[in-house]
Amino acid sequence: MSESPSIDHHRDIGYAEARATADQPFTVTADPDGDGMVVQGVCPACRTFTEFAIGRGIVGTKGRRRASAPAPAEITVFCMCGHVHAERPPEATDRGCGRFWKVRLP
């Protein structure tokens, strides 16, 4: 995860897999390795900078890359703030508060 570009205003909230509504814009940029995109912004629930990577394409047979399905207009983003949130289950795959929301892709 990249360093926050601004001051972090983390809210110490308990972990919960719940839908949130993004109340601030997110930046969507090309992944440095050119194989996807990176969504950056502030989690609407815990108010912490978060960075979510989106892969593109599917690795095909013999290491060749096959064309993937058309890119969606929006995706579901999960909080990846990296802070410890109370009651976070050990099997959780995200690294945040458990909230998720939709982000429109360019």
Side-chain angles (χ1 to χ4, degrees):
M1 185 162 107
S2 297
E3 236 179 87
S4 173
S6 62
I7 296 174
D8 210 348
H9 298 287
H10 181 254
R11 288 179 48 212
D12 189 18
I13 60 175
Y15 181 92
E17 290 182 11
R19 183 175 303 278
T21 301
D23 56 356
Q24 295 183 21
F26 281 76
T27 303
V28 181
T29 56
D31 194 354
D33 66 9
D35 194 33
M37 293 185 280
V38 176
V39 178
Q40 296 176 324
V42 175
C43 172
C46 72
R47 311 306 304 171
T48 304
F49 174 78
T50 186
E51 182 176 274
F52 187 82
I54 307 163
R56 291 263 191 188
I58 302 167
V59 176
T61 58
K62 298 183 183 178
R64 293 184 305 212
R65 185 159 304 279
R66 292 184 288 154
S68 63
E74 64 181 22
I75 60 154
T76 300
V77 173
F78 297 88
C79 178
M80 300 294 270
C81 71
H83 286 276
V84 175
H85 288 273
E87 300 182 26
R88 182 178 182 276
E91 67 275 5
T93 57
D94 59 80
R95 295 186 327 262
C97 67
R99 285 13 176 243
F100 53 92
W101 57 94
K102 297 281 187 182
V103 170
R104 180 163 289 292
L105 297 178

